[in-house]
Amino acid sequence: MIERRPFSSLGGANHGWLDAKHHFSFAGYQDPARMHWGALRVWNDDTIAAGAGFPPHPHAGMEIITYVREGAISHQDDQGNRGRTVAGDVQVMSAGSGIRHAEYNQEPGVTRIFQIWIFPEQRGGTPAWGAKPFPRGERSGRFVALASGMPGDDEALPIRANARVSGATLKAGESTEYRFSDASRYGYLVPSTGRVEVDGVLIEARDGAAISGVEKIVVRALEDAELVLVDTAA
């Protein structure tokens, strides 16, 4: 099953410095039909104004993956980690037993991110943070694991979940496929840019495609497209 979730149907709020869209229930947006998708709990589409950001705040018991679409995000936490992650790259925070962090857009223009939260396999553990560049050219025409807790994804940033976050870039007219380990998995795909078809279902830029009950999908680009896909256990 491929269920299109149009960008126009997402929840969210515009706070001035932050224009946030929510694929799943979050903060003031609550929809019982959109609480999670498998182990995927949050997918936020955030636009952060220059010089603004999230002041120090706590997290626990969640794997938090940030995919930078445009600009850059600067991170600092109470574990001594600091970093700046630029467009196309990824950072991962395993909140574990508890971490306090801040994220700011210290760039001259807006920063746009996807922030993805996935339930860990086990709660607790020492908090951790990491970031890694993933050149878009290396994802050309195929999905590449960006963050993963699944066997064999040795080049991906590690997460403590039975899940994989993948990225791909496709030229207009190109197709690629993604294979799930079995039909019990849950997939959620969002084009950062571009229009695509997922098994023939039209998905516009920043729409969500909720995928279930299949072992494989075929994605065809109608325009140049940049894709992010989450594959999780139930």
Side-chain angles (χ1 to χ4, degrees):
M1 182 187 77
I2 312 294
E3 176 197 346
R4 179 189 175 213
R5 298 185 175 180
F7 181 75
S8 61
S9 75
L10 304 183
N14 191 331
H15 304 280
W17 67 272
L18 170 68
D19 186 4
K21 297 294 184 183
H22 309 311
H23 285 261
F24 300 94
S25 295
F26 189 85
Y29 167 61
Q30 295 296 313
D31 181 347
R34 294 188 180 180
M35 291 302 298
H36 64 94
W37 191 248
L40 172 61
R41 174 60 187 87
V42 168
W43 191 311
N44 288 344
D45 182 328
D46 291 340
T47 300
I48 306 165
F54 303 91
H57 59 282
H59 290 285
M62 197 66 68
E63 301 299 295
I64 300 175
I65 300 96
T66 303
Y67 180 92
V68 183
R69 302 175 55 229
E70 180 181 337
I73 197 79
S74 294
H75 166 99
Q76 182 176 349
D77 63 46
D78 63 0
Q79 306 295 302
N81 299 303
R82 289 173 175 263
R84 175 177 174 270
T85 306
V86 303
D89 296 346
V90 178
Q91 68 173 19
V92 164
M93 186 171 70
S94 293
S97 59
I99 190 170
R100 188 171 179 85
H101 82 131
E103 288 182 311
Y104 288 100
N105 172 17
Q106 298 177 342
E107 310 307 309
V110 300
T111 284
R112 294 185 169 90
I113 64 172
F114 288 153
Q115 190 167 93
I116 296 162
W117 296 14
I118 299 173
F119 291 118
E121 289 193 274
Q122 295 182 335
R123 294 182 64 87
T126 303
W129 177 87
K132 187 174 179 179
F134 288 94
R136 288 180 169 101
E138 294 182 7
R139 297 178 256 149
S140 179
R142 65 191 182 105
F143 282 102
V144 170
L146 308 176
S148 179
M150 297 173 65
D153 290 339
D154 299 331
E155 299 301 314
L157 285 161
I159 57 175
R160 304 166 186 173
N162 185 355
R164 175 188 292 128
V165 181
S166 299
T169 59
L170 297 177
K171 297 291 187 184
E174 280 189 325
S175 295
T176 192
E177 67 177 38
Y178 181 88
R179 290 186 176 271
F180 298 91
S181 57
D182 60 64
S184 70
R185 305 286 294 184
Y186 285 77
Y188 201 85
L189 181 146
V190 180
S192 173
T193 59
R195 299 165 65 240
V196 300
E197 287 181 347
V198 181
D199 287 355
V201 178
L202 175 64
I203 307 295
E204 304 271 1
R206 300 166 77 189
D207 287 353
I211 303 157
S212 62
V214 299
E215 293 187 359
K216 181 185 78 170
I217 56 170
V218 175
V219 183
R220 184 171 73 91
L222 305 178
E223 304 169 347
D224 290 357
E226 184 174 344
L227 311 170
V228 181
L229 170 67
V230 171
D231 168 359
T232 81

